[in-house]
Amino acid sequence: MKTRVIVMSLSVIALTMLSCSEEEARTHVYGEVSCDACAGTSWSLNGDLGTSGEKYYGSCEVDGDDMDFTVASRDRKNATTSKDFYFYIRGIKGPPEKGVYESGKEPYDDEDKYTTFSSGSVTNVNSWVFSPDDADPEEACYVQLYATPDTGDGELTPDESSFDYFVEIKCGGLEVEDSSNSGQDLGFVQTQLWFKNCD
């Protein structure tokens, strides 16, 4: 009987630890996405990211040194109102820099740290697909910084939370028509996002 109680107690402890580790492993996003052709102009994000009812729909994935991410209010099929958005970037070229902040809480703006990405899309009622090739000049659309925190300096998000990856994208000089060809052109997309627990 005593052995049975010990085994049951250990099982409860193991399940508790497992659920805690699963909770800690949730993907989290903090930051902002803005778009000149979008009805909402910009969206602030701070919450869990996933595909099973989390606050935001999407994911962030690091494959080798490169990164893809999707952040959205809902999945693409259901992101249909002017309050909804769906935004993804594919193929951010790594490796990520080490260290996000140049001084205080201002992210680095150093051309030597700039990199690029393969493609992106933003949906807000209308939908646009874009890449640096669509910018004029092409250099106006770039990843300003893709970085991991300098843990030695204890870098945190602006709301003082830990993070694993930071991405800042400035993509201007665009003249991209929406998918319905309504004449609403996308001119720029900007984002600053901090991610934790990417796949």
Side-chain angles (χ1 to χ4, degrees), residues 10-180:
L10 290 172
S11 297
V12 169
I13 291 167
L15 285 170
T16 303
M17 290 176 68
L18 181 63
S19 64
C20 287
S21 65
E22 284 177 356
E23 189 171 319
E24 289 169 6
R26 286 185 180 169
T27 303
H28 193 87
V29 62
Y30 175 93
E32 185 173 275
V33 174
S34 60
C35 156
D36 67 332
C38 300
T41 307
S42 65
W43 297 275
S44 295
L45 300 98
N46 187 5
D48 289 340
L49 181 67
T51 58
S52 303
E54 287 81 1
K55 185 173 182 181
Y56 302 106
Y57 180 89
S59 64
C60 59
E61 300 172 3
V62 178
D63 183 7
D65 288 327
D66 299 347
M67 182 186 207
D68 298 339
F69 70 80
T70 299
V71 291
S73 58
R74 307 171 79 182
D75 65 85
R76 184 184 294 225
K77 181 181 176 183
N78 293 301
T80 55
T81 74
S82 60
K83 293 181 180 179
D84 289 320
F85 72 99
Y86 187 98
F87 177 62
Y88 75 69
I89 295 289
R90 301 287 179 260
I92 296 172
K93 300 301 178 191
E97 300 288 335
K98 183 176 181 182
V100 172
Y101 303 113
E102 185 169 16
S103 60
K105 286 291 182 183
E106 288 300 314
Y108 280 101
D109 183 6
D110 178 347
E111 288 188 20
D112 290 339
K113 297 180 184 294
Y114 290 0
T115 187
T116 190
F117 63 96
S118 301
S119 64
S121 177
V122 60
T123 298
N124 173 242
V125 181
N126 294 314
S127 187
W128 301 267
V129 176
F130 59 92
S131 75
D133 293 341
D134 296 311
D136 187 15
E138 188 173 328
E139 293 76 22
C141 184
Y142 59 97
V143 178
Q144 182 166 307
L145 184 63
Y146 168 42
T148 58
D150 186 336
T151 52
D153 287 347
E155 293 184 335
L156 301 170
T157 68
D159 74 341
E160 303 297 313
S161 298
S162 62
F163 66 98
D164 297 321
Y165 293 96
F166 171 81
V167 178
E168 181 168 15
I169 296 170
K170 291 186 176 178
C171 190
L174 300 172
E175 288 187 18
V176 178
E177 288 188 359
D178 70 274
S179 56
S180 65

